[in-house]
Amino acid sequence: MSENIISKFICVSEEVEISKYETDLPYLILESNRMVGFYNYVPNERNVSIAHHYFILMKKGIPCFQDRVFRSISFYEKDSGNILHVYPGHMNVHGKEYNFIRIRQSELEEVLGMLSYFDKRNIEFEPQKRFSSIRTVIQFKEMVDMEEIKSGVYRDKSAHHVFFLPITIDIEYLKFHKMVDYIRNNCDFKHFEASLVYSVGSDYKVKDYAKIYSPNCEENRLLEFEEHFIKAAKEFNYI
């Protein structure tokens, strides 16, 4: 691996609009939609989100859920030689907590074809039921390869419109979201989506990042984001 590429196991917190995926399958599957309003002045052909994702919800009471998902995927990939993008996480919707696996739309059929690997580890999917659309904060874990394109700016090697910018402020998601809204409303940084990401290093040291997605990113201006982020933190007395 190149010296300017680092692999990190990260936890992502982000807000999404989710609704029920209408299907004949016996499981409750949700789908995410891009939040509207960010790209009003971006050409239509570029007015797209990173990807469309499905969320397969799980039944309650699965100890060490995330570990079981990772082991299931690891053994499946070893046996099949295929690589899947399946990430375990959780969400709170309509007053209930759910574990889920987040998958790419294009990989749904293959994930459903490996149910025996989940069954072996007592991972059960939530059965079909009514579900009304809702906007909520989700959290999930994934492995990412970050390529340092300039000092303090990293790009997701598998998604070239996704960038990671280190954050020096200790902050939780709700405050982060409030600061990002402030940046959009008060700066000429408007057409982007932002998630709060952290990784855990040696001695349990947590490192935070702003995960930035923009379909029309001016890469040379990404370093300005930290300046605006600090300004927003001072505006709300977070520092």
Side-chain angles (χ1 to χ4, degrees), residues 36-84:
V36 298
F38 291 177
Y39 309 133
N40 291 343
Y41 304 105
V42 177
N44 288 334
E45 66 272 14
R46 308 190 75 164
N47 186 0
V48 295
S49 58
I50 304 172
H52 188 72
H53 291 99
Y54 290 140
F55 300 83
I56 306 180
L57 302 191
M58 304 295 159
K59 288 186 175 180
K60 295 180 180 179
I62 303 177
C64 300
F65 167 71
Q66 295 181 352
D67 293 338
R68 296 189 191 198
V69 170
F70 287 130
R71 289 188 66 82
S72 298
I73 298 301
S74 177
F75 280 105
Y76 170 78
E77 291 182 347
K78 180 181 178 181
D79 292 343
S80 68
N82 298 327
I83 302 297
L84 290 178

Side-chain angles (χ1 to χ4, degrees), residues 13-215:
S13 296
E14 61 187 23
E15 187 176 25
V16 295
E17 185 89 20
I18 52 175
S19 56
K20 184 178 179 180
Y21 172 55
E22 298 299 338
T23 175
D24 293 332
L25 294 168
Y27 313 114
L28 179 57
I29 302 176
L30 308 180
E31 57 184 336
S32 62
N33 303 299
R34 178 183 58 79
M35 294 173 62
V36 298
F38 291 177
Y39 309 133
N40 291 343
Y41 304 105
V42 177
N44 288 334
E45 66 272 14
R46 308 190 75 164
N47 186 0
V48 295
S49 58
I50 304 172
H52 188 72
H53 291 99
Y54 290 140
F55 300 83
I56 306 180
L57 302 191
M58 304 295 159
K59 288 186 175 180
K60 295 180 180 179
I62 303 177
C64 300
F65 167 71
Q66 295 181 352
D67 293 338
R68 296 189 191 198
V69 170
F70 287 130
R71 289 188 66 82
S72 298
I73 298 301
S74 177
F75 280 105
Y76 170 78
E77 291 182 347
K78 180 181 178 181
D79 292 343
S80 68
N82 298 327
I83 302 297
L84 290 178
H85 302 83
V86 178
Y87 309 122
H90 71 272
M91 66 174 72
N92 186 317
V93 288
H94 303 308
K96 294 184 179 181
E97 292 279 350
Y98 288 99
N99 289 325
F100 64 77
I101 56 172
R102 175 184 181 268
I103 68 175
R104 292 183 177 181
Q105 181 184 26
S106 60
E107 295 180 351
L108 175 59
E109 186 174 345
E110 190 169 2
V111 170
L112 294 173
M114 57 162 291
L115 291 183
S116 61
Y117 289 81
F118 292 125
D119 291 340
K120 185 177 181 179
R121 291 167 184 83
N122 298 316
I123 297 175
E124 296 183 74
F125 295 171
E126 184 77 12
Q128 274 275 16
K129 62 181 180 182
R130 285 186 173 186
F131 186 93
S132 55
S133 300
I134 189 173
R135 180 175 293 180
T136 190
V137 176
I138 64 170
Q139 191 175 73
F140 62 91
K141 291 183 168 66
E142 66 172 314
M143 180 64 71
V144 65
D145 288 335
M146 297 182 184
E147 179 180 13
E148 189 171 24
I149 59 175
K150 61 178 65 178
S151 180
V153 178
Y154 299 85
R155 188 205 307 270
D156 187 334
K157 200 169 186 309
S158 66
H160 282 186
H161 293 303
V162 176
F163 303 88
F164 297 92
L165 308 177
I167 294 176
T168 57
I169 303 172
D170 182 14
I171 197 161
E172 300 299 328
Y173 180 78
L174 292 180
K175 290 183 177 180
F176 172 83
H177 186 271
K178 188 175 180 180
M179 291 164 64
V180 168
D181 280 346
Y182 176 87
I183 292 172
R184 286 199 192 94
N185 293 331
N186 293 277
C187 309
D188 59 350
F189 285 94
K190 299 184 185 299
H191 308 304
F192 67 92
E193 295 178 24
S195 306
L196 180 61
V197 168
Y198 74 82
S199 65
V200 180
S202 59
D203 299 325
Y204 298 97
K205 291 182 179 178
V206 170
K207 189 171 184 62
D208 292 313
Y209 298 86
K211 177 184 176 183
I212 302 295
Y213 167 72
S214 175

